[in-house]
Amino acid sequence: AKDNPTLNRDLQPIKNNADRLMNLVTELLDFRKAESGKMALHVSPGDIVKFSKEIFMAFQNMAISKQIDFSFQSEKSQLELYFDKVQMEKVLFNLLSNAFKFTPNGGKISLEITLKNDIATIKVCDNGKGIPLENQNNLFNNFYQANANIPIGTGLGLSFSKSIVELHQGKIAFQSSPASADQNGYTCFSVNLKIGKEHFNASDFIADYVYCDDVINYNSPKAVEPQIFEIAPADPEKKRYSILLVEDNEDVRTFIKNALTADYNIQERENGMDGLESAIELIPDLIISDVMMPVMDGLELCRRVKTDERTSHIPVILLTARSAYVHQINGFENGADAYLMKPFNLKMLELNIKNTLKARETIKHKFAQVITLEPTNLVINKTEEGFLTKIMQIIETHISDPEFDVPTLSAEIGMSQPVLYKKIRALTDLSVNDFIKSLRIKRAAQLLKQNTGNIAEVAYAVGFNDRKYFSLEFKKHFGKTPSEFIQTEKIV
């Protein structure tokens, strides 16, 4: 499907729903383990503030689209707890998902972390519908849904969350008042977790745990084993692609750079803001970014890149400590092209890079194969589609003007010539001049097929003053002269 952007776009909802179904099945299996007392914890030390913040950030695009006032607060910038990261991720994801599900557009949702008497409390509060009073006593029961009119889900989320929290020797509770005709509702879930590790069994701990941002992990055979991917065949005239690497951890950044520098031109930046500025200036072929960074995080960098006409075509691979499922809510348009969970196997990163770049090259090659140029055949991003539609409309307006050139197009599109050149080159593998010329030739082919005039008239109609030059360029593009093209169309 990556070879066909339109098909890719059509298949994406199917994939998302299949992933959602898979997660529901996994949730059922996990719940059964917890219910039968067979769920084992895999506890390790971690910064609960950083952990919670990354899950919080995964919902920011949804908050923007629903115009929700979405806030994160913590009394401490860092707070070490012992917890099972995989299971606790499910708890926070479930609480935030419910908050967004039941909070209307323009509402408020907050995540707050406090510490008192050696108890860390995570609160997820919203001013949505609230929970009806008659449903509150059953809220943590298996398969119970407070709002049966919403078909998505199993009714296990809160019950399973309660099981996970209790396995951590913690507590989960809530306060809620339903909305009325003249007042918003209010719901606030709180998760209480103990400081320290004495409350866990020795078997609960991960042996030889190494912090996921420690570079030693990336050389370890314990790193995630790679899946099998199709690798693009080697190109005898191999292009040296440019990669913008945005990572605040110097050790990890240096490790990745050293691993890739033999095959790619690597530019390094330490935070998302510097990364964004460099992306606009350099227009790299690919961006690899960490999620958790100072100044601007990786998710915001990705959203800005994907919604800016100058950079929307650039593929983004995000490195995250959370599972890819958490980030799926960012959607297809503004989300990354791939998510790699840290610590990742280096082979996995290399395969993701190769396949992502291969998919882009396929889109470029499709450009030369179509006579009727439709933006939707070339792009899988709405920002790119809007950019190409706009630029084609400008060229179409001036298509009969032989003086129409790159400076004119640059001025009308509102983009500098260097950035426009890199953008068009990245999308079509053509210079801006050749792009304009190719649209003139494609338009000429349409006019010849429609029999709207002789060859000289068609040439003038698309901005060629010289018929011989027009015929030469036409043959370069289609492999036949205009006369031969007309004859072929008549036979067909």
Side-chain angles (χ1 to χ4, degrees), residues 367 370-374 392-393 395-401 434-455 457-464 470 473-474 477-478 482 485:
F367 175 80
V370 289
I371 294 177
T372 304
L373 189 61
E374 293 290 341
M392 288 175 194
Q393 287 172 347
I395 295 172
E396 184 70 28
T397 301
H398 296 276
I399 202 159
S400 61
D401 180 6
D434 286 342
F435 177 75
I436 295 171
K437 191 190 299 177
S438 72
L439 291 187
R440 293 186 192 274
I441 295 295
K442 291 175 192 289
R443 181 64 176 145
Q446 293 174 28
L447 295 174
L448 291 172
K449 286 178 72 173
Q450 295 164 6
N451 197 26
T452 56
N454 60 40
I455 294 173
E457 290 170 339
V458 168
Y460 290 132
V462 294
F464 285 89
F470 167 72
E473 291 298 322
F474 193 94
H477 197 91
F478 289 106
F485 181 83

Side-chain angles (χ1 to χ4, degrees), residues 370-421:
V370 289
I371 294 177
T372 304
L373 189 61
E374 293 290 341
T376 51
N377 293 334
L378 294 174
V379 294
I380 53 177
N381 178 292
K382 289 292 183 185
T383 307
E384 286 176 55
E385 187 175 328
F387 168 76
L388 275 179
T389 299
K390 184 163 45 172
I391 205 168
M392 288 175 194
Q393 287 172 347
I394 293 171
I395 295 172
E396 184 70 28
T397 301
H398 296 276
I399 202 159
S400 61
D401 180 6
E403 303 300 320
F404 180 71
D405 56 9
V406 177
T408 308
L409 177 60
S410 175
E412 291 211 19
I413 201 74
M415 193 176 287
S416 71
Q417 289 186 50
V419 171
L420 180 62
Y421 175 85

Side-chain angles (χ1 to χ4, degrees), residues 75-92:
E75 288 181 348
K76 295 183 176 292
S77 59
Q78 291 182 314
L79 178 57
E80 184 178 87
L81 292 183
Y82 282 80
F83 60 100
D84 184 322
K85 294 174 179 57
V86 173
Q87 300 304 333
M88 198 54 65
E89 177 185 286
K90 295 173 185 176
V91 174
L92 294 188

Side-chain angles (χ1 to χ4, degrees), residues 10-210:
D10 292 340
L11 289 177
Q12 197 64 32
I14 298 173
K15 180 184 182 301
N16 288 344
N17 284 320
D19 289 340
R20 185 178 292 114
L21 180 61
M22 185 62 157
N23 278 282
L24 289 174
V25 172
T26 303
E27 186 178 279
L28 281 167
L29 293 172
D30 285 345
F31 177 77
R32 179 61 184 145
K33 282 183 185 178
E35 190 181 43
S36 60
K38 294 180 180 178
M39 174 172 276
L41 291 180
H42 298 90
V43 174
S44 60
D47 180 358
I48 194 66
V49 177
K50 183 177 181 181
F51 175 86
S52 304
K53 184 69 180 288
E54 186 165 353
I55 299 173
F56 166 88
M57 291 190 307
F59 287 83
Q60 282 183 321
N61 280 335
M62 187 183 294
I64 291 169
S65 66
K66 294 185 69 174
Q67 297 180 316
I68 284 176
D69 180 358
F70 191 36
S71 63
F72 181 94
Q73 290 182 314
S74 176
E75 288 181 348
K76 295 183 176 292
S77 59
Q78 291 182 314
L79 178 57
E80 184 178 87
L81 292 183
Y82 282 80
F83 60 100
D84 184 322
K85 294 174 179 57
V86 173
Q87 300 304 333
M88 198 54 65
E89 177 185 286
K90 295 173 185 176
V91 174
L92 294 188
F93 185 83
N94 178 257
L95 295 180
L96 284 169
S97 295
N98 284 341
F100 275 90
K101 190 186 299 182
F102 297 110
T103 301
N105 291 2
K108 292 183 179 181
I109 299 174
S110 65
L111 192 157
E112 182 183 4
I113 301 175
T114 57
L115 178 65
K116 185 177 181 180
N117 298 329
D118 289 338
I119 299 291
T121 301
I122 305 169
K123 289 185 177 180
V124 176
C125 305
D126 67 74
N127 67 343
K129 296 179 179 179
I131 302 166
L133 296 176
E134 64 272 19
N135 295 333
Q136 293 188 9
N137 289 335
N138 297 314
L139 203 60
F140 290 112
N141 290 349
N142 303 347
F143 305 104
Y144 187 79
Q145 289 180 292
N147 190 335
N149 295 323
I150 296 181
I152 300 297
T154 59
L156 284 176
L158 288 173
S159 178
F160 185 40
S161 296
K162 184 172 185 284
S163 297
I164 292 172
V165 172
E166 289 178 346
L167 277 172
H168 284 76
Q169 306 303 313
K171 294 181 180 179
I172 183 171
F174 72 93
Q175 292 178 313
S176 184
S177 54
S180 61
D182 57 351
Q183 188 175 352
N184 288 331
Y186 173 78
T187 302
C188 190
F189 281 86
S190 60
V191 175
N192 294 334
L193 299 172
K194 297 177 182 178
I195 300 294
K197 57 183 178 180
E198 293 75 17
H199 49 285
F200 290 108
N201 298 319
S203 59
D204 291 337
F205 295 97
I206 298 176
D208 303 321
Y209 173 75
V210 181

Side-chain angles (χ1 to χ4, degrees), residues 448 455 467 474 480-488:
L448 291 172
I455 294 173
R467 178 185 160 170
F474 193 94
K480 58 188 75 173
T481 66
S483 300
E484 292 167 343
F485 181 83
I486 293 170
Q487 290 301 318
T488 304

Side-chain angles (χ1 to χ4, degrees), residues 113 151 237 260 287 290 299 316 382 390 491:
I113 301 175
E237 297 181 3
L260 301 178
I287 296 172
D290 189 21
L299 292 169
V316 178
K382 289 292 183 185
K390 184 163 45 172
I491 294 170

Side-chain angles (χ1 to χ4, degrees), residues 268-284:
E268 301 174 76
R269 297 296 182 269
E270 293 184 1
N271 63 67
M273 183 61 75
D274 290 345
L276 180 61
E277 292 172 357
S278 296
I280 294 169
E281 178 188 354
L282 302 173
I283 313 294

